[in-house]
Amino acid sequence: TLDFCVEKGYSFYHKKSHQGLLRNLVVRHGVKTNELLVNIVTSSEDGFDEQAYLDMLLELKLDNKLIGVMRTFNDSLADAVINEGVKILFGRDYYNEEILGLKFKVNAFSFFQTNIEAVERLYSEALALIPNLDSKVVYDLYCGTGTISQLMASKAKKVYGIEIVQDSVDAAIDNAKMNNIDNCHFICGDVKAKLDEVTEKPDMIVVDPPRMGMHDKVVEMLSSYGIEQILYISCNPNTMAMNLEKFSELGYEPVVMKAYDNFPKTKHAEAVTLLTRTDSYCE
């Protein structure tokens, strides 16, 4: 892609002047399926030769299978991949992945774990901390594309997944159907706003929040259910630590904690913590 764009003389997008054509290249890879989804992000400036770019990609000798090529338009001032319109140049706008025997359709703009082998270990060990899911109602908060929800669904009575990104919720619904799972219910919206809409109260809660962690109000709401245990999966142990301090004030203490280096040679680490009500733990 770089060679192609240099040869064509395309300009790159300047953050300060907000002018230029090329912004991002996003390549999504299905580790278990060997599928590649390519998404080139540009401004709406004229001049990008879509057909020539597609022809170049289709002629490449690849170890993986190219299943989709997209062009996303982004004229926003934010230095991020903002979808302001998409053209599918070839194939489809999603790829398939597998985790612990379940199949997942991952849309182009949905968050999904990248280190599949590492996350399989993390999820397996995290869910093993839950003593018994049989016939229980489970909340999976910040559920993304519903990976953890569906892994728990085989034992739980019902799983409610809440996620703010509509694209991820749509993928979660499709994934549950693809895996023949009918006891997962997915809700799109902010956790703080949507918790009160679920009338069936939880027996178990699993949270996997974004890097910013959870708002204190959400911690208070989760603690108010008074359930015995809460499983916290974190991609930012710093904000998790702040949340745990608030949980401690409300009667929950960590009894198991483990860190995972899912992204070696980067600053990022993940962590899993099992919280238990202090009164039940003392007993």
Side-chain angles (χ1 to χ4, degrees), residues 87-244:
K87 287 181 69 175
I88 299 177
L89 307 182
F90 168 77
R92 42 183 158 90
D93 61 351
Y94 66 91
Y95 70 98
N96 294 301
E97 186 56 279
E98 297 179 12
I99 291 182
L100 294 173
L102 293 178
K103 297 178 181 179
F104 294 93
K105 169 187 172 183
V106 186
N107 295 332
F109 299 98
S110 296
F111 170 79
F112 201 79
Q113 296 286 348
T114 53
N115 192 336
I116 298 302
E117 292 185 2
V119 83
E120 283 186 324
R121 183 184 62 183
L122 187 155
Y123 285 162
S124 296
E125 295 181 2
L127 295 178
L129 296 175
I130 304 174
N132 184 13
L133 280 176
D134 293 346
S135 302
K136 289 185 176 179
V137 175
V138 184
Y139 286 4
D140 181 16
L141 308 181
Y142 314 94
C143 67
T145 53
T147 310
I148 300 174
S149 301
Q150 293 175 71
L151 290 172
M152 295 188 292
S154 62
K155 295 181 179 180
K157 174 185 175 184
K158 192 164 189 177
V159 180
Y160 290 93
I162 302 179
E163 167 60 46
I164 198 169
V165 179
Q166 184 66 60
D167 200 45
S168 294
V169 173
D170 293 341
I173 294 171
D174 290 342
N175 291 334
K177 291 178 182 177
M178 185 165 53
N179 289 306
N180 297 314
I181 295 172
D182 58 7
N183 60 334
C184 286
H185 180 64
F186 297 103
I187 302 167
C188 185
D190 182 71
V191 168
K192 187 156 77 301
K194 293 295 181 178
L195 273 175
D196 289 337
E197 294 185 12
V198 185
T199 56
E200 201 168 6
K201 299 307 177 186
D203 301 303
M204 182 68 197
I205 296 174
V206 177
V207 299
D208 189 358
R211 295 197 185 281
M212 67 185 70
M214 294 188 293
H215 193 280
D216 279 352
K217 180 65 175 177
V218 175
V219 176
E220 291 170 1
M221 294 174 75
L222 301 185
S223 300
S224 70
Y225 290 117
I227 63 174
E228 298 299 316
Q229 294 174 316
I230 296 172
L231 184 64
Y232 193 136
I233 301 174
S234 172
C235 59
N236 185 352
N238 291 326
T239 53
M240 181 186 73
M242 291 186 284
N243 286 157
L244 295 186

Side-chain angles (χ1 to χ4, degrees), residues 33-60:
T33 61
N34 292 324
E35 293 184 347
L36 285 177
L37 178 64
V38 176
N39 182 10
I40 190 162
V41 185
T42 73
S43 68
S44 58
E45 182 179 297
D46 293 332
F48 186 77
D49 192 335
E50 296 172 348
Q51 189 59 52
Y53 180 62
L54 175 60
D55 291 343
M56 180 274 296
L57 291 180
L58 292 176
E59 290 173 1
L60 294 175

